[in-house]
């Protein structure tokens, strides 16, 4: 691909043509570029010349490290596109229409959340009160459940024993009244015979 096509491809994949910020990064790229030496002689990297003639990286990092090949860059090339050699890892300027491989670099994604601190404090306090209220309601509910379960288990205070006891009392009164009634009836018959 040409340099421009490589730039477009990298942008579409969420990156830019790679920058090389130090010797470690250069060595890493050379090791991996060597694996593809049989397929291409070099790879486009993200150095470009701006309208003021300055050399910059596409990702706007500083051009603090360079690994130019012998005699590079040569002169004031108008079309300034840079290749990383797959064989040596050195950089050289080539016509931008040359067909090369390319190396994309994707930035690390870091999320920053900016909020209104006063609003967050007020919201946090409100959330704390809501949580405390819910915890209190739950504790009260559990307390009442334990209280009533204890009362049912021990049988006190529910009225079932009192109702049961009053039924037994009524039943025993009926039996006693029936016995005394039959006695009265038997005595009544005796009294009638006596007359």
């Amino acid at each position: 691909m040409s340099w421009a096509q490589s730039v477009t491809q990298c942008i579409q994949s969420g990156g830019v043509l790679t920058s090389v910020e130090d010797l470690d990064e250069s060595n890493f790229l050379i090791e991996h570029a060597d694996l593809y030496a049989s397929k291409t002689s070099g790879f486009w990297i993200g150095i470009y010349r701006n309208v003021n003639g300055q050399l910059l990286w596409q990702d706007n990092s500083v051009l603090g490290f360079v690994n130019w090949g012998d005699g590079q860059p040569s002169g004031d090339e108008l079309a300034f596109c840079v290749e990383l050699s797959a064989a040596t890892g050195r950089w050289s300027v080539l016509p931008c229409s040359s067909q090369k491989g390319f190396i994309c670099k994707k930035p690390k994604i870091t999320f920053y959340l900016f909020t209104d601190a006063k609003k967050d404090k007020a919201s946090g306090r409100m959330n704390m009160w809501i949580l405390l209220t819910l915890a209190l309601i739950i504790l009260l509910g559990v307390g009442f459940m334990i209280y009533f379960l204890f009362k049912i288990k021990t049988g006190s205070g529910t009225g079932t024993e009192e109702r049961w006891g009053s039924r037994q009392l009524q039943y025993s009164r009926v039996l006693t009244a029936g016995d005394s009634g039959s006695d009265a009836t038997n005595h009544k018959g005796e009294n009638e015979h006596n007359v």
Side-chain angles (χ1 to χ4, degrees), residues 30-146:
I30 291 167
E31 283 179 37
H32 289 86
D34 190 43
L35 299 172
Y36 298 97
S38 64
K39 295 183 181 185
T40 184
S41 62
F43 298 92
W44 293 122
I45 58 175
I47 294 178
Y48 74 98
R49 186 184 301 256
N50 70 7
V51 293
N52 297 330
Q54 294 175 299
L55 295 179
L56 300 170
W57 288 111
Q58 250 193 328
D59 65 2
N60 295 320
S61 59
V62 177
L63 185 65
F65 171 81
V66 293
N67 193 18
W68 294 111
D70 294 334
Q72 295 291 325
S74 58
D76 291 329
E77 291 91 357
L78 195 54
F80 198 90
C81 296
V82 179
E83 166 206 37
L84 177 136
S85 169
T88 66
R90 298 286 191 168
W91 306 348
S92 56
V93 177
L94 293 177
C96 295
S97 59
S98 301
Q99 300 296 304
K100 299 290 176 182
F102 58 97
I103 303 169
C104 295
K105 185 185 223 181
K106 291 185 180 182
K108 292 180 184 176
I109 298 174
T110 306
F111 292 102
Y112 294 99
L113 182 62
F114 296 101
T115 60
D116 185 6
K118 289 180 183 177
K119 189 176 180 181
D120 286 348
K121 279 185 177 179
S123 176
R125 286 186 191 131
M126 185 173 211
N127 288 339
M128 180 185 68
W129 284 110
I130 290 170
L131 288 174
L132 286 174
T133 304
L134 286 174
L136 182 63
I137 290 170
I138 290 170
L139 287 174
L140 284 172
V142 169
F144 280 121
M145 284 178 46
I146 291 171

Side-chain angles (χ1 to χ4, degrees), residues 5-46:
Q5 290 169 329
S6 299
V7 168
T8 303
Q9 193 70 31
C10 285
I11 290 170
Q12 287 175 350
S13 67
V16 292
L17 282 176
T18 192
S19 59
V20 184
E21 296 176 19
D22 54 34
L23 184 60
D24 290 334
E25 194 169 12
S26 179
N27 289 337
F28 174 82
L29 291 173
I30 291 167
E31 283 179 37
H32 289 86
D34 190 43
L35 299 172
Y36 298 97
S38 64
K39 295 183 181 185
T40 184
S41 62
F43 298 92
W44 293 122
I45 58 175

Side-chain angles (χ1 to χ4, degrees), residues 163-177:
R163 280 184 261 136
W164 176 253
S166 65
R167 284 185 190 154
Q168 284 181 333
L169 183 61
Q170 287 174 355
Y171 183 66
S172 64
R173 283 185 190 158
V174 169
L175 288 178
T176 330

